[in-house]
Amino acid sequence: MKILYFDISAILIMLIMIAVLFVQNKQWNIINKLLLILYINVLFTTVFDLWSEAYNIWFLANETDSVFRYFLYYGYFLSRNMTPLLFQLYLFSITDTWHILKKKPWLKPLFAAPYIVVCLLLFSNVFFHNVFYFNNELIYTRGPMFYGLHLCAFVYFVSGIIFLLAYRKVFPIDKLTALICFYPWNLLAILVQAFIPEYLVEMFLNTVSLFMVSSIVQRPEEVIDPVTGILSHIAYRADMKKAFYLRKPFRIVVAQLVNYQSLLTILGSDACGGLMKQLSTDMKNAFKDPLFSADLYYLENGMFAAVSGSDDSEYCRRAARSFSDSVNGSLQMGKLILEMNSCLCVFRCPEDFEDYDKMMSFVNSFSSFLPADGSVTCLEDEDDRQQFNIHLRNDIDHIVSNAIEKNLFKMYYQPIYSVKEKRFTSAEALIRLKDEKYGFISPELLITAAERNGTILQIGDFVLDSVCRFMAECLGMKLPIEYIELNLSMKQCVQMDLKDKVLFYLSKYELKPEQINLEITETAANTAQDIVEENIRSLSEHGVAFSLDDYGTGYSNLSRVISLPFKIVKIDKSMTDKVFDSKINAVLKNNLRLLKEIGIEIVVEGIEKKAQLCQFEEMGCDFVQGYYYSAPLPEKDFLKFIKTENHQ
Ligand code: C2E
Ligand code: MG
Ligand code: MG
């Protein structure tokens, strides 16, 4: 007597899994379609299994039904042996390796061969009863070729495991394990069934193995963004890694809503989520042409991406422009009129970015240098690449690491004029790097790249060392330079050992703490990081002064700025340029008066004209820095400049 409960449970579990697949899936992509077919196939197999056994139990004596009995067994074997083939197809889908089958067409029949053999064996069984038959007592009996079926399944078993091991890097370890376990788990099912035939556990164990795969590999909460219902940023990262690993060419459109944060503040998170959902629907419409067949992703914080294997560049641009109409311009929401500013870019991989990291760093930063007016920048166009320095941005990591290795950085010094003493009393140290191919590299680009790739601390050490050495040289020559200012990057400000480092270089060159001055930007000063405040306080206690750089560019948290012990505030060039604007002039006047009242000294940066100088002198600023006096100079030129200018 056979126990049927395992099959009944398997059917129930399978039905639930199919229902869950329907409920959870918002995207019927090839992966989900194949998974559904796989589930249905296992469901049919189990039904055939159960039916044939139930049939044996209930109608054993009825000989006239043997054709139907054969039908049930054929159904069972055909669908049972289809499972490993479908699973292999599912593996092609989740590894996104269909293109390999397309490239090597001989692989297709190779993968189908074992199943074709199964079909041939079962067909021959009709005539020869060589796989299975019912004996005189109508008992199911295995024929000599029965193990041919197992052999075919074993071929899929071996090829599946080899395939998974070959593409192991495509999966995180938990998913890889779940997928590999599918095979031994099924082998176990066959063995248990062979040794304890009365427990019909084979399909039950088969179902359990699929359940494991679906719950570990197929996690819709990872793949689908809960706000927009399109693919999530997690799926994006996984898919992009996969595409680069498999060297699969693709085209991508990225769109960034640059004022997302302000929309979020105005609308609140629910309404802003609603807006993102609306934009994702617009995106679906813009990219709906099946020729392009793009996967759509929401990368959070107002960023969208459409990725396609299509090589139709023109179509891609058209879709991007059409999406730009939705994501840029004014928008009415209830009684609110909102402005959306977006930046869009189209590029190809691997042509435009040879590896995953470069591509990701571009996607994370493109909105900071491309126009945010809804226009579509296309990196395939050489003009666009030139205009936005894409070649340089691509090479910058290499340029920086090469410069560190070969010690190519130089420090330039820009003289700072003291209004009171009517001579140059200090200077700002500014880093310079000249590349053979690109010439002088903008320090902003260089510092941003170094912050991103982690080399900034090495560069910071170089700056500290060079500046201290140069200051000691100036003192040795008895130049009347009182201190040199040097810029600290955001990352240096949060260094735990910043104080020790600075003190080390001071003592290395026997300098007094007041002979250098550390500049930090408004943004760095305003970060909610206790360590920044602690660094400023402890170094100030040791006598090292701080300047607040780029004053007027950020959203100054005045109370915080005042609470920190800054000796100097440096007015940014963007403000200097607007000194003749009556409103800015009034604000500057009042700001300078306030700052001077609490004992802070003022440096004005970017003075280029005599008239600007007069204005700031009138306002009572203490120091002036700018091309009006001198651009930043190499060491020798700076020494010459100071010697001649200060002795006039
Ligand atoms: P910053 O600290 O505000 O430096 C002043 C910038 O204004 C310098 O640009 C200087 O060359 C430029 N400048 C000075 N006077 C004039 C003028 O009259 N007209 C114009 N058009 N420009 C003027 P630079 O050297 O390109 O540096 C840009 C920024 O890069 C610096 O802004 C600073 O934030 C950063 N930087 C430069 N060197 C270093 C460094 O050694 N370490 C760190 N962490 N950042 C640095
Ligand atoms: Mg500065
Ligand atoms: Mg500045």
Side-chain angles (χ1 to χ4, degrees):
M1 182 74 174
K2 301 225 167 154
I3 312 251
L4 305 182
Y5 299 118
F6 285 107
D7 267 356
I8 296 172
S9 315
I11 290 175
L12 288 176
I13 296 175
M14 218 61 244
L15 284 173
I16 294 171
M17 282 166 63
I18 290 173
V20 168
L21 192 66
F22 269 99
V23 172
Q24 282 185 332
N25 270 312
K26 293 180 179 118
Q27 295 233 339
W28 281 104
N29 55 14
I30 179 86
I31 298 179
N32 290 329
K33 282 182 192 157
L34 267 173
L35 199 65
L36 180 67
I37 296 172
L38 184 59
Y39 286 176
I40 292 174
N41 182 66
V42 171
L43 181 70
F44 268 99
T45 316
T46 321
V47 169
F48 278 125
D49 193 31
L50 180 69
W51 200 341
S52 53
E53 290 302 337
Y55 197 90
N56 282 340
I57 295 166
W58 293 323
F59 303 106
L60 197 58
N62 191 350
E63 286 176 43
T64 54
D65 279 324
S66 61
V67 174
F68 186 61
R69 201 191 308 258
Y70 269 104
F71 163 76
L72 291 177
Y73 274 81
Y74 278 118
Y76 171 78
F77 284 124
L78 282 172
S79 55
R80 177 75 184 100
N81 284 284
M82 173 88 84
T83 304
L85 174 62
L86 287 173
F87 192 72
Q88 181 62 53
L89 297 182
Y90 171 68
L91 292 184
F92 283 137
S93 297
I94 51 174
T95 47
D96 207 357
T97 39
W98 289 110
H99 64 290
I100 296 177
L101 283 193
K102 273 188 202 146
K103 251 192 256 161
K104 299 178 181 163
W106 51 270
L107 272 175
K108 279 186 201 167
L110 201 68
F111 274 108
Y115 190 69
I116 294 170
V117 173
V118 167
C119 295
L120 291 175
L121 280 174
L122 291 173
F123 183 67
S124 72
N125 192 58
V126 176
F127 307 103
F128 308 114
H129 288 179
N130 49 353
V131 178
F132 73 94
Y133 57 95
F134 297 99
N135 66 14
N136 296 339
E137 284 128 39
L138 285 177
I139 305 284
Y140 161 81
T141 312
R142 289 175 176 180
M145 302 297 279
F146 180 84
Y147 294 97
L149 300 183
H150 280 341
L151 190 68
C152 292
F154 190 71
V155 173
Y156 280 123
F157 178 101
V158 174
S159 64
I161 289 191
I162 293 175
F163 181 88
L164 278 170
L165 291 178
Y167 289 101
R168 64 190 176 283
K169 295 219 170 111
V170 166
F171 304 102
I173 190 73
D174 56 339
K175 296 191 179 184
L176 181 68
T177 315
L179 288 166
I180 289 189
C181 280
F182 176 82
Y183 292 104
W185 196 247
N186 273 275
L187 190 65
L188 179 79
I190 293 170
L191 289 177
V192 174
Q193 181 75 68
F195 287 107
I196 328 170
E198 61 277 19
Y199 289 99
L200 286 179
V201 290
E202 186 173 339
M203 291 319 296
F204 178 74
L205 291 179
N206 191 223
T207 306
V208 171
S209 67
L210 268 184
F211 179 75
M212 262 176 49
V213 167
S214 80
S215 50
I216 296 174
V217 180
Q218 290 281 127
R219 277 188 243 161
E221 70 277 15
E222 278 183 4
V223 178
I224 303 293
D225 176 71
V227 176
T228 56
I230 58 177
L231 293 164
S232 70
H233 67 111
I234 300 178
Y236 172 77
R237 283 207 296 269
D239 292 351
M240 292 298 97
K241 265 191 194 151
K242 219 186 286 176
F244 275 105
Y245 177 70
L246 298 170
R247 305 241 128 244
K248 191 181 158 213
F250 60 93
R251 260 201 174 69
I252 174 164
V253 176
V254 272
Q256 167 76 65
L257 205 57
V258 288
N259 60 338
Y260 173 79
Q261 282 306 330
S262 77
L263 291 172
L264 180 65
T265 317
I266 296 168
L267 293 172
S269 63
D270 280 356
C272 192
L275 175 60
M276 293 306 114
K277 185 155 181 48
Q278 174 57 47
L279 292 179
S280 71
T281 313
D282 294 348
M283 193 184 193
K284 277 182 203 160
N285 288 332
F287 290 91
K288 70 170 176 250
D289 192 327
L291 274 181
F292 189 56
S293 72
D295 285 328
L296 307 183
Y297 301 84
Y298 180 58
L299 309 185
E300 296 192 325
N301 297 322
M303 194 191 288
F304 295 84
V307 179
S308 166
S310 153
D311 49 359
D312 186 343
S313 160
E314 193 37 52
Y315 178 79
C316 192
R317 291 170 200 226
R318 224 180 309 128
R321 272 183 233 118
S322 150
F323 183 46
S324 151
D325 292 341
S326 309
V327 88
N328 196 73
S330 36
L331 166 90
Q332 188 169 353
M333 281 191 89
K335 286 192 173 170
L336 304 178
I337 300 265
L338 300 169
E339 202 60 41
M340 289 191 293
N341 305 319
S342 294
C343 198
L344 290 99
C345 183
V346 185
F347 56 87
R348 296 159 303 168
C349 290
E351 291 89 338
D352 294 331
F353 299 99
E354 72 221 25
D355 64 38
Y356 171 81
D357 290 332
K358 280 190 179 154
M359 191 274 288
M360 286 304 270
S361 99
F362 174 80
V363 168
N364 289 332
S365 62
F366 77 101
S367 60
S368 64
F369 55 84
L370 293 188
D373 55 3
S375 57
V376 178
T377 305
C378 205
L379 299 195
E380 269 167 69
D381 299 344
E382 195 47 38
D383 286 354
D384 281 1
R385 297 182 71 90
Q386 296 283 351
Q387 187 183 352
F388 301 111
N389 270 332
I390 303 298
H391 292 295
L392 171 59
R393 285 176 202 277
N394 254 341
D395 292 345
I396 189 77
D397 285 342
H398 171 71
I399 292 175
V400 170
S401 57
N402 183 52
I404 291 178
E405 200 183 303
K406 298 192 178 143
N407 209 4
L408 300 180
F409 291 111
K410 295 267 173 302
M411 293 315 291
Y412 274 40
Y413 296 88
Q414 186 172 30
I416 298 179
Y417 184 79
S418 161
V419 175
K420 200 170 95 196
E421 297 192 29
K422 299 209 178 336
R423 63 181 179 92
F424 295 91
T425 53
S426 60
E428 174 172 5
L430 294 155
I431 198 159
R432 291 292 179 265
L433 174 62
K434 195 170 179 188
D435 182 75
E436 278 177 11
K437 183 170 162 199
Y438 297 103
F440 277 108
I441 312 275
S442 133
E444 268 130 355
L445 192 68
L446 192 116
I447 299 295
T448 320
E451 287 197 312
R452 179 176 38 73
N453 68 26
T455 49
I456 189 67
L457 298 184
Q458 271 167 282
I459 295 180
D461 289 353
F462 161 82
V463 172
L464 262 169
D465 191 57
S466 317
V467 171
C468 290
R469 178 195 45 75
F470 186 60
M471 182 64 202
E473 254 176 67
C474 290
L475 292 175
M477 292 175 171
K478 304 251 178 309
L479 279 195
I481 293 295
E482 289 163 19
Y483 58 89
I484 296 181
E485 304 198 341
L486 59 94
N487 293 280
L488 289 186
S489 89
M490 175 88 97
K491 282 223 172 120
Q492 283 175 287
C493 296
V494 294
Q495 261 183 122
M496 263 166 61
D497 58 350
L498 179 68
K499 184 188 81 182
D500 298 337
K501 258 189 191 159
V502 173
L503 296 181
F504 166 78
Y505 286 112
L506 285 176
S507 75
K508 181 175 172 189
Y509 295 103
E510 296 173 358
L511 292 182
K512 294 187 194 129
E514 59 271 20
Q515 284 164 340
I516 63 161
N517 186 313
L518 305 179
E519 288 189 10
I520 68 172
T521 59
E522 264 194 301
T523 339
N526 279 329
T527 50
Q529 302 287 331
D530 290 348
I531 179 91
V532 176
E533 191 168 338
E534 200 181 306
N535 276 334
I536 298 180
R537 287 200 191 288
S538 61
L539 274 165
S540 298
E541 277 159 22
H542 278 84
V544 180
F546 277 84
S547 299
L548 181 68
D549 203 358
D550 300 349
Y551 186 77
T553 52
Y555 299 95
S556 251
N557 181 344
L558 207 60
S559 69
R560 179 165 163 83
V561 169
I562 289 169
S563 73
L564 293 171
F566 286 112
K567 183 178 169 227
I568 294 175
V569 162
K570 300 189 76 168
I571 309 291
D572 191 68
K573 181 175 183 307
S574 57
M575 296 296 274
T576 311
D577 288 345
K578 293 183 200 140
V579 70
F580 296 112
D581 175 309
S582 59
K583 282 187 188 165
I584 302 263
N585 193 291
V587 171
L588 271 173
K589 234 182 228 161
N590 281 299
N591 259 274
L592 295 203
R593 188 175 45 75
L594 256 161
L595 291 168
K596 281 179 76 70
E597 251 173 47
I598 54 172
I600 289 181
E601 295 172 4
I602 313 287
V603 177
V604 190
E605 284 188 308
I607 294 277
E608 290 181 349
K609 295 186 189 101
K610 175 105 189 154
Q612 291 172 319
L613 176 65
C614 296
Q615 275 286 314
F616 280 101
E617 274 179 349
E618 240 174 63
M619 287 184 202
C621 84
D622 305 280
F623 302 96
V624 179
Q625 172 183 354
Y627 291 177
Y628 176 73
Y629 289 116
S630 165
L633 301 169
E635 288 184 7
K636 266 193 192 154
D637 296 349
F638 175 81
L639 293 175
K640 218 183 325 160
F641 179 91
I642 294 295
K643 278 181 202 158
T644 47
E645 291 293 319
N646 276 354
H647 287 106
Q648 270 176 6

